[in-house]
């Protein structure tokens, strides 16, 4: 499935092919902090399909993964939108795209949740939280 | 919690989780965030602060006097103690975001 995405201010845009069956939620504490929210939702690009169409993201090398692996996190230095995570290897590397930045995000549904051991308890079921259509 | 499309993009995720700050109690202890000013449909301007080094979103601040701060719950040390009281902009919520109970749960990766 081809996806396109961009940051909020529009300086950075990209496209890639993804497997829509492999969208994942991550509840790790790094994802909570780096999104400022309860969890992140990611979709891995298929090898060699990621194309940066405009802009130059800033990168943050995260060293706190449990595995010890260093991950390069791309974000927009102007608006702060988190864009993807990638690694130096393999070549070409997959990009873990932030689903919130994808134009087709309403068509994607996660298939599983990772790092569930640090999930915020309420994140699983919001049916009891009052809903307002707008503000 | 906010399900608006701006919050989806600016968090890279399904929604944002925010908590308002009691007036006059916000104190920046260290560091200087970068800021991004977003103009809402109402014309109101809101400043979004994030870390310029790692991208972590920190707070939003209104342009009112005095300004009102809202914190990103994911950055709070006490976040496990906080429960959302309401969800807004549900009109743009991702279809699955309010019920994850059917999704496989891996304790780690």
């Amino acid at each position: 499935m081809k996806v396109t995405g961009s940051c909020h201010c529009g300086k950075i845009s990209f496209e890639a092919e993804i497997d829509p069956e492999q969208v994942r939620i991550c509840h790790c504490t790094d994802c909570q902090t780096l999104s400022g929210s309860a969890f992140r939702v990611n979709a891995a690009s298929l090898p060699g399909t990621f194309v940066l169409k405009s802009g130059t993201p800033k990168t943050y090398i995260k060293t706190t993964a449990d595995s010890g692996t260093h991950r390069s996190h791309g974000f927009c230095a102007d608006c702060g939108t988190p864009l993807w995570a990638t690694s130096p290897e393999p070549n070409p590397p997959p990009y873990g795209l932030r689903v919130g930045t994808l134009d087709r995000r309403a068509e994607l549904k996660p298939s599983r949740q990772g790092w569930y051991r640090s999930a915020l308890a309420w994140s699983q079921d919001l049916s009891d939280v009052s809903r307002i259509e707008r503000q | 919690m906010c399900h608006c499309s701006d919050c989806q993009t600016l968090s890279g995720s399904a929604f944002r989780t925010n908590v308002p700050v009691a007036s006059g109690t916000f104190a920046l202890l260290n560091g200087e965030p970068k800021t991004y000013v977003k103009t809402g449909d109402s014309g109101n301007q809101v400043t979004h602060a994030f870390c310029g080094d790692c991208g972590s979103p920190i707070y939003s601040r209104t342009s009112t006097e005095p300004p009102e701060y809202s914190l990103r719950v994911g950055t709070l040390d006490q976040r496990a103690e906080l429960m959302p009281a309401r969800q807004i902009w549900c009109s743009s919520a991702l279809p699955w975001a309010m019920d994850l109970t059917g999704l496989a749960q891996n304790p780690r990766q």
Side-chain angles (χ1 to χ4, degrees), chain B residues 13 23 29 31 41 52 55 62-63 65 79 100:
Chain B
S13 192
S23 184
L29 299 180
D41 286 343
T62 62
S63 51
E65 192 52 51
R79 59 187 179 270
L100 307 184

Side-chain angles (χ1 to χ4, degrees), chain A residues 54-134:
Chain A
S54 68
T56 303
K58 187 148 186 197
T59 54
Y60 168 62
I61 306 297
K62 185 171 77 73
T63 60
T64 52
D66 222 52
S67 62
T69 303
H70 288 194
R71 294 280 283 168
S72 173
H73 289 241
F75 65 99
C76 178
D78 292 307
C79 68
T81 300
L83 299 161
W84 57 70
T86 190
S87 296
E89 295 294 331
N91 190 14
Y95 285 73
L97 306 173
R98 309 305 180 194
V99 166
T101 67
L102 302 181
D103 299 320
R104 297 180 73 177
R105 59 187 179 271
E107 301 173 46
L108 300 174
K109 183 179 171 170
S111 56
R112 62 188 185 278
Q113 309 179 70
W115 289 103
Y116 184 73
R117 68 179 194 178
S118 54
L120 296 176
W122 54 262
S123 66
Q124 296 299 292
D125 183 357
L126 302 175
S127 55
D128 287 341
V129 183
S130 73
R131 300 178 199 195
I132 302 167
E133 282 300 292
R134 290 167 65 90

Side-chain angles (χ1 to χ4, degrees), chain B:
Chain B
M1 295 170 57
C2 185
H3 294 273
C4 80
S5 57
D6 284 349
C7 278
Q8 290 170 0
T9 299
L10 285 161
S11 68
S13 192
F15 51 77
R16 279 214 269 217
T17 314
N18 305 309
V19 61
V21 173
S23 184
T25 67
F26 179 80
L28 190 64
L29 299 180
N30 61 273
E32 192 61 46
K34 279 203 76 170
T35 56
Y36 171 64
V37 179
K38 186 169 80 72
T39 303
D41 286 343
S42 59
N44 290 336
Q45 290 193 329
V46 177
T47 297
H48 294 255
F50 61 97
C51 174
D53 292 310
C54 71
S56 293
I58 307 296
Y59 64 75
S60 67
R61 184 186 71 225
T62 62
S63 51
T64 54
E65 192 52 51
E68 295 169 12
Y69 286 83
S70 185
L71 304 178
R72 311 302 184 195
V73 167
T75 66
L76 301 181
D77 298 321
Q78 293 82 11
R79 59 187 179 270
E81 302 171 43
L82 300 174
M83 297 267 305
R86 66 179 181 278
Q87 311 177 68
I88 65 172
W89 287 104
C90 293
S91 54
S92 54
L94 296 178
W96 51 265
M98 297 184 194
D99 182 4
L100 307 184
T101 55
L103 302 180
Q105 300 163 352
N106 299 336
R108 293 165 64 92
Q109 272 184 306

